[in-house]
């Protein structure tokens, strides 16, 4: 057997998105144009802009365009294409922590998060020695704004809000949170790893992003919802001047200092985002997201109509979480797995969730619904 046979054999042991059966993932088969671009830049290193000066220009272009999607209205926004949402969340908290130390001399930093926060925020807080304080959830399963107000102290370095939470796909009420943040002079970090490049296109909620005064940093990942290959996360700041608080200038390198966690960074990731923006186009991306959202909404309505599941409000992104009235969620997940479906939980409400990525087609979801109803 030659190498490609061996690799194909190993690869075939794990499922493919094209089977449609992976209902748990925020990642899908990458766009072929993005893959081509990735491949062409596979040897380039965005950690060395002494060598790859034109890659630097490409990254600047990409960050500029993506920041605009996220509500940037000035030419002061900045950021980087990084390894993923976890790194982007880490960088945001690192930056806001250092900023708070410098500006307000906060030495025992705290953040206020939602009970549905992604664990990468907890990981970063742990590494950065930041205390995590949980807000309450309101009846819509979003951060309760009054509880945020009550939890703000002089040690609060950031409020972390979701724009498309991992479990439920919901968007916290950023407009109201922003008022509390502004009055208390606390920055907001928006974890829009999933929702950042969906919400501006499907317009289910009024996503203001950087247009809100107190939003300093945003995570929004191309490898989730711009269909670029892994690893391409997005770390964005409203004002790139503050990047100096996480800047390191290695003495032996004669180029732009590092403002990311990793030194070596994938140039392929940058090229793939560039390819999507220039040769696929946002109109096409918007169409895909609208289609996914429509399927999610149809599914939500159908499942509600059966009377066999508790639902948690109209979806705001293409994620639907539901809980069977008469079957244990974990048992249901196991039974579905035996029929080839891969689906994860939305633990805050002890339910199951489907993420409607482009590989989850109408036919796939009908088949899923049949299986689901047969089991419960
Ligand atoms: N923030 C949010 C809101 C996320 O949902 C995720 C990942 C992250 C940050 C971290 O992003 P990275 O994984 O890029 O570091 N959310 C998905 C999840 O935990 C990641 C994922 C994707 C998991 C595909 C499984 C999978 O098959 O569900």
């Amino acid at each position: 057997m030659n190498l490609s046979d061996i690799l194909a054999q190993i690869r075939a042991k794990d499922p493919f998105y094209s089977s449609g059966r992976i209902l748990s993932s925020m990642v899908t088969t990458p766009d072929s144009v993005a893959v081509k671009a990735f491949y062409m830049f596979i040897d380039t290193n965005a950690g060395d802009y002494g060598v790859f000066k034109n890659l630097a220009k490409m990254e600047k272009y990409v960050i500029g365009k993506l920041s605009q999607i996220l509500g940037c209205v000035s030419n002061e926004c900045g950021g980087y294409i990084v390894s993923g949402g976890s790194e982007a969340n880490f960088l945001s908290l690192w930056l806001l922590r250092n900023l708070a130390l410098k500006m307000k001399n906060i030495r025992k930093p705290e953040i206020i998060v939602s009970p549905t926060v992604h664990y990468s925020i907890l990981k970063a807080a742990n590494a950065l020695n930041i205390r995590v304080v949980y807000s309450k959830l309101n009846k819509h399963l979003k951060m309760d704004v009054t509880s945020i107000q009550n939890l703000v102290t002089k040690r609060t370095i950031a409020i972390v809000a979701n724009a498309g939470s991992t479990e439920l796909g919901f968007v916290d009420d950023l407009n109201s949170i922003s008022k509390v943040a502004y009055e208390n002079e606390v920055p907001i970090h928006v974890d829009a790893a999933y929702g950042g490049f969906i919400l501006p296109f499907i317009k289910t909620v009024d996503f203001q992003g950087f247009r809100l005064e107190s939003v300093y940093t945003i995570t929004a990942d191309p490898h989730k919802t711009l269909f670029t290959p892994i690893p391409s996360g997005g770390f964005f700041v409203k004002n790139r001047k503050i990047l100096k608080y996480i800047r390191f200038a290695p003495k032996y390198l004669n180029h732009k200092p590092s403002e990311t966690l990793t030194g070596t960074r994938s140039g392929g990731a940058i090229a793939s985002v560039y390819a999507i923006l220039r040769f696929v186009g946002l109109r096409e991306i918007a169409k895909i997201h609208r289609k996914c959202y429509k399927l999610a909404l149809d599914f939500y309505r159908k499942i509600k109509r059966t009377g066999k599941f508790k639902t948690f409000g109209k979806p705001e992104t293409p994620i639907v979480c539901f809980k069977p009235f008469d079957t244990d969620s974990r048992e249901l997940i196991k039974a579905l797995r035996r029929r080839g479906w891969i689906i994860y939980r939305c633990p805050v409400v002890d339910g199951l969730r489907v993420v409607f990525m482009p590989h989850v087609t109408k036919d796939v979801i009908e088949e899923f619904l049949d299986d689901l109803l047969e089991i419960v």
Side-chain angles (χ1 to χ4, degrees):
M1 261 203 305
N2 63 24
L3 177 64
S4 40
D5 290 340
I6 294 171
L7 291 178
Q9 216 176 54
I10 298 171
R11 178 63 190 89
K13 288 182 186 160
D14 286 331
F16 288 91
Y17 296 114
S18 57
S19 72
R21 301 227 151 202
I22 306 176
L23 308 180
S24 53
S25 173
M26 291 180 172
V27 176
T28 191
T29 314
D31 183 281
S32 56
V33 174
V35 173
K36 184 172 178 207
F38 193 96
Y39 188 69
M40 286 178 74
F41 277 72
I42 202 148
D43 61 336
T44 64
N45 179 1
D48 190 349
Y49 280 161
V51 176
F52 299 105
K53 294 195 175 71
N54 293 287
L55 181 63
K57 283 188 200 155
M58 198 189 241
E59 185 169 32
K60 202 168 164 212
Y61 171 86
V62 158
I63 292 293
K65 286 279 178 219
L66 298 183
S67 314
Q68 279 171 13
I69 302 175
L70 299 172
C72 180
V73 285
S74 72
N75 50 20
E76 289 168 0
C77 300
Y80 290 98
I81 299 299
V82 296
S83 58
S86 299
E87 185 183 346
N89 280 339
F90 182 93
L91 291 169
S92 300
L93 293 191
W94 188 20
L95 175 61
L96 296 176
R97 186 199 69 169
N98 288 0
L99 180 72
L101 178 64
K102 186 79 185 171
M103 295 300 180
K104 299 187 186 167
N105 198 27
I106 297 178
R107 286 172 186 280
K108 289 188 172 168
E110 299 174 357
I111 50 172
I112 300 171
V113 307
S114 163
T116 65
V117 68
H118 189 261
Y119 74 96
S120 56
I121 292 284
L122 307 178
K123 215 194 261 185
N126 178 278
L128 295 164
N129 221 354
I130 299 171
R131 184 168 164 250
V132 176
V133 181
Y134 288 91
S135 78
K136 287 187 186 141
L137 285 180
N138 64 21
K139 63 174 195 280
H140 305 293
L141 299 167
K142 300 180 183 196
M143 287 178 102
D144 181 87
V145 182
T146 316
S147 94
I148 297 178
Q149 174 65 58
N150 294 336
L151 292 169
V152 172
T153 69
K154 52 181 194 310
R155 293 174 173 167
T156 310
I157 60 142
I159 299 165
V160 179
N162 284 309
S165 67
T166 312
E167 294 185 35
L168 306 163
F170 287 160
V171 184
D172 288 318
D173 180 358
L174 294 172
N175 296 351
S176 306
I177 294 172
S178 158
K179 285 191 193 116
V180 174
Y182 186 73
E183 280 158 18
N184 292 282
E185 293 178 25
V186 174
I188 298 173
H189 167 61
V190 181
D191 185 352
Y194 170 69
F197 301 128
I198 298 181
L199 293 166
F201 302 119
I202 65 170
K203 299 194 169 79
T204 46
V205 297
D206 171 33
F207 178 68
Q208 292 290 326
F210 280 130
R211 278 182 285 265
L212 295 171
E213 177 104 23
S214 301
V215 172
Y216 278 41
T217 52
I218 300 181
T219 292
D221 289 344
H223 69 201
K224 294 186 173 67
T225 49
L226 291 179
F227 316 120
T228 54
I230 299 167
S232 54
F235 162 59
F236 300 91
V237 294
K238 181 186 269 156
N239 188 333
R240 62 179 172 273
K241 280 198 189 119
I242 60 174
L243 287 169
K244 69 178 179 208
Y245 296 111
I246 54 168
R247 182 175 300 156
F248 280 77
K251 291 199 180 71
Y252 69 98
L253 290 177
N254 175 24
H255 61 76
K256 205 168 168 281
S258 170
E259 297 167 344
T260 52
L261 186 58
T262 68
T264 300
R265 280 189 303 129
S266 166
I270 294 165
S272 69
V273 181
Y274 182 84
I276 291 285
L277 291 174
R278 297 265 336 247
F279 296 99
V280 175
L282 294 176
R283 209 172 291 166
E284 199 51 41
I285 297 292
K287 249 192 238 165
I288 299 172
H289 289 320
R290 276 190 219 115
K291 195 169 159 193
C292 291
Y293 181 68
K294 191 177 171 298
L295 281 179
L297 202 56
D298 282 352
F299 177 75
Y300 165 74
R301 287 181 179 142
K302 276 190 190 143
I303 210 140
K304 215 171 152 180
R305 237 179 283 138
T306 65
K308 291 185 168 24
F309 302 92
K310 186 172 163 52
T311 51
F312 302 93
K314 191 177 165 189
E316 293 177 333
T317 55
I319 291 184
V320 180
C321 166
F322 54 97
K323 179 178 158 68
F325 285 122
D326 302 321
T327 316
D328 178 73
S329 289
R330 288 169 200 264
E331 291 307 316
L332 180 54
I333 287 177
K334 281 188 207 152
L336 286 165
R337 187 64 198 244
R338 284 194 289 274
R339 295 185 183 213
W341 299 104
I342 303 172
I343 183 166
Y344 293 162
R345 295 173 67 229
C346 29
V348 256
V349 292
D350 186 28
L352 292 73
R353 102 222 213 272
V354 176
V355 185
F356 287 79
M357 291 303 282
H359 59 265
V360 183
T361 59
K362 193 160 183 277
D363 291 347
V364 164
I365 209 67
E366 271 166 19
E367 209 184 315
F368 173 70
L369 201 56
D370 288 345
D371 274 350
L372 184 65
L373 293 175
E374 221 173 275
I375 298 168
V376 295

